[in-house]
Amino acid sequence: MLPKLVLPLLLGVLTSTAALADKVTTFTLENGLEAVVIEDHRAPVVTHMLWYRIGAADEPLGKSGIAHFLEHLMFKGTKTVAPGEFSAVVDAQGGDDNAFTSYDYTGYFQRVAVDRLDLMMKMEADRMRGLILSDAHVETERAVIIEERAQRTDSDPGALFGEQRRAAQYLNHPYGIPIIGWKHEAEALTREDALSFYRTFYAPNNAILIVAGDVDPDEVKAMAEAHYGPVAPTPDLAPRLRPTEPPQLSERRLTMADPRVAQPYVIRTYLAPERDSGAQQKAAALTVLAELLGGSSTTSVMARALQFGDAATAVYTSAFYDGVSLDVTNFGFVAVPMPDVSLAEMEAAVDAVIAKFLTDGVDQEAFDRIKRQLRADEIYARDNVAGLARTYGAALTGGLTVVDVQAWPDVLQAVTPEEVMVAAREVLNRKNAVTGWLMKEETDAEAGQ
């Protein structure tokens, strides 16, 4: 174990080099494809990712779930790759692949030995414009996503409650629509819907290529020019224009009761600013605020006040914030009460803790500890090259730049207690919040006992 005096010195050395740890090269092809190459030569492996600047928040009205639906359909084959063969080829190379959809992006990745990178680019570029869809494929995959919704959302009261709360949070912005889609709309998606969405948005001038691993940037560029270079862009692709959220004038409250609920809880989310390119300071202050209030199950403000001692009222507390979002995001907390504590009592206890924090301000010792933890987290994250690639992809499709990503650790370290309190007083406003209670509903049998 390192002596106590050595660890701060070691972290001090690392803090001065962390921002330089990413060996990143960027280039853009003539057809508009942007590329980021992250070098990591510790092992002969590579992560190949293609991110599209299209997500659930960009879907046409009435077509919710189409971005996620198309993600599934992208594995249905082209003229040169049979349905299901894409993943089989990756697996045969000893690699793995997958895809994911969020509000601001849809992404595809493969992790393989570095000498298989050329093959991955060839196949991914092929399906960028060459997807072939039959009615049978569409019917089958539509049934798959409906079943996925049934298993992950409709059968889970917490997930259903989350949908309702998010819809209440965003009255006008499409962030209030579930990524998997409303069931009645997802059931009506057609082959024509999928192809229209695909032909417009799956194009090199709407995509970001990220290659991370044991690679040479010049070689990656040559491969990209060979495989992605000939792919035609979408002409006159319109900018991403979304409805904006109007000012919230009063708190919104929801309660939901379901016999399947195992543990009641109180949750509140506030509209909060996202990380903006060149102006990440407020998001950094909110990141530190979330850690202070509920980042630790033992040392955070909420944990110490509510989970320990004879007067403990909660079995679990947490605060959360994720600023990587193209548009306005949210800041929130959740509290799970002790069995003999009502949800009303739990909410009142949390409100008292927040009010005290707003009065007392930041504890300097806790603040310094959290900043050290955040710096260490940033350093350790660089050990995972696939995770680093995902960090860049989410940031770039969320409106940030490579410079923003590399500056983020230093922006976090520059946050002051005063900035945290300014952000807290701005965001922790009940008029700007959605408060929800999820509770167990008694069945007839339980009520009769």
Side-chain angles (χ1 to χ4, degrees):
M1 179 180 293
L2 291 173
K4 290 183 178 180
L5 292 177
V6 174
L7 182 57
L9 292 174
L10 176 60
L11 285 174
V13 172
L14 291 172
T15 56
S16 65
T17 59
L20 304 176
D22 305 338
K23 296 181 179 179
V24 176
T25 303
T26 63
F27 59 86
T28 302
L29 300 185
E30 291 185 6
N31 59 10
L33 178 72
E34 298 178 23
V36 176
V37 182
I38 306 168
E39 294 182 67
D40 187 322
H41 300 289
R42 293 175 299 173
V45 295
V46 65
T47 295
H48 172 261
M49 289 183 140
L50 194 65
W51 296 69
Y52 290 97
R53 287 188 173 95
I54 190 72
D58 302 297
E59 297 166 337
L61 287 176
K63 304 295 182 182
S64 65
I66 188 68
H68 174 252
F69 185 35
L70 183 56
E71 175 211 313
H72 280 243
L73 293 172
M74 284 292 285
F75 292 87
K76 295 304 176 183
T78 66
K79 289 182 179 180
T80 59
V81 179
E85 186 181 356
F86 192 108
S87 294
V89 170
V90 177
D91 185 65
Q93 310 307 309
D96 61 89
D97 74 317
N98 214 327
F100 43 86
T101 305
S102 189
Y103 282 104
D104 297 326
Y105 54 76
T106 308
Y108 303 84
F109 79 86
Q110 304 87 41
R111 187 165 47 242
V112 293
V114 69
D115 61 355
R116 304 298 195 272
L117 175 60
D118 188 78
L119 176 61
M120 298 302 105
M121 280 201 193
K122 179 181 178 181
M123 293 199 301
E124 196 67 82
D126 177 43
R127 67 176 175 177
M128 179 181 278
R129 286 302 205 186
L131 181 66
I132 296 176
L133 293 180
S134 68
D135 288 332
H137 291 150
V138 171
E139 293 286 336
T140 300
E141 213 56 44
R142 186 171 55 228
V144 169
I145 65 168
I146 297 304
E147 178 59 24
E148 182 180 333
R149 181 186 164 87
Q151 292 182 356
R152 296 185 178 182
T153 304
D154 298 330
S155 64
D156 181 350
L160 288 171
F161 189 45
E163 277 192 346
Q164 296 298 304
R165 288 187 295 100
R166 195 170 183 96
Q169 186 92 73
Y170 296 97
L171 296 186
N172 195 49
H173 194 284
Y175 283 167
I177 299 172
I179 293 171
I180 201 167
W182 299 116
K183 183 179 179 181
H184 67 287
E185 292 185 348
E187 288 175 330
L189 295 175
T190 67
R191 176 176 177 271
E192 290 70 30
D193 293 332
L195 286 175
S196 175
F197 196 77
Y198 169 72
R199 288 166 179 160
T200 302
F201 298 112
Y202 276 55
N205 53 328
N206 199 41
I208 301 169
L209 169 67
I210 298 184
V211 177
D214 187 20
V215 293
D216 175 86
D218 291 335
E219 293 178 0
V220 172
K221 184 176 182 180
M223 288 184 204
E225 288 175 335
H227 296 301
Y228 289 109
V231 181
T234 295
D236 303 318
L237 184 65
R240 302 172 86 175
L241 297 177
R242 296 170 172 174
T244 55
E245 191 65 19
Q248 184 173 334
L249 304 179
S250 65
E251 182 184 10
R252 299 163 195 158
R253 299 186 66 88
L254 296 87
T255 60
M256 180 174 169
D258 191 298
R260 298 170 296 178
V261 172
Q263 179 64 68
Y265 58 81
V266 175
I267 184 168
R268 181 182 297 151
T269 53
Y270 308 80
L271 285 177
E274 73 283 0
R275 279 171 64 182
D276 290 325
S277 182
Q280 302 184 88
Q281 293 84 354
K282 188 170 291 186
L286 289 170
T287 299
V288 175
L289 176 64
E291 291 296 320
L292 281 166
L293 287 179
S296 167
S297 61
T298 56
T299 62
S300 68
V301 170
M302 292 175 63
R304 285 187 287 110
L306 301 173
Q307 293 179 230
F308 301 101
D310 295 336
T313 54
V315 296
Y316 173 79
T317 60
S318 180
F320 50 89
Y321 169 75
D322 183 2
V324 181
S325 176
L326 190 62
D327 299 316
V328 63
T329 185
N330 56 72
F331 182 104
F333 67 77
V334 61
V336 179
M338 293 281 194
D340 59 344
V341 176
S342 70
L343 292 179
E345 291 169 330
M346 185 76 267
E347 182 180 346
V350 171
D351 284 338
V353 171
I354 292 176
K356 187 175 188 301
F357 174 80
L358 291 174
T359 299
D360 295 348
V362 173
D363 177 82
Q364 187 66 48
E365 184 178 347
F367 179 80
D368 292 341
R369 181 183 67 251
I370 284 168
K371 289 181 71 170
R372 289 194 298 270
Q373 290 172 342
L374 289 171
R375 175 60 86 184
D377 289 345
E378 290 287 335
I379 295 167
Y380 297 146
R382 282 160 173 76
D383 283 337
N384 183 341
V385 67
L388 195 58
R390 188 152 186 155
T391 294
Y392 275 90
L396 297 181
T397 51
L400 300 173
T401 66
V402 169
V403 171
D404 293 323
V405 175
Q406 295 181 328
W408 179 244
D410 291 332
V411 174
L412 280 174
Q413 292 304 305
V415 171
T416 65
E418 292 74 21
E419 289 172 332
V420 170
M421 294 310 299
V422 168
R425 295 187 178 103
E426 176 183 328
V427 170
L428 301 180
N429 180 348
R430 290 284 288 273
K431 291 182 179 180
N432 197 40
V434 173
T435 302
W437 291 5
L438 181 63
M439 63 193 76
K440 182 176 177 61
E441 180 180 57
E442 287 189 351
T443 64
D444 291 341
E446 291 171 329
Q449 290 178 354

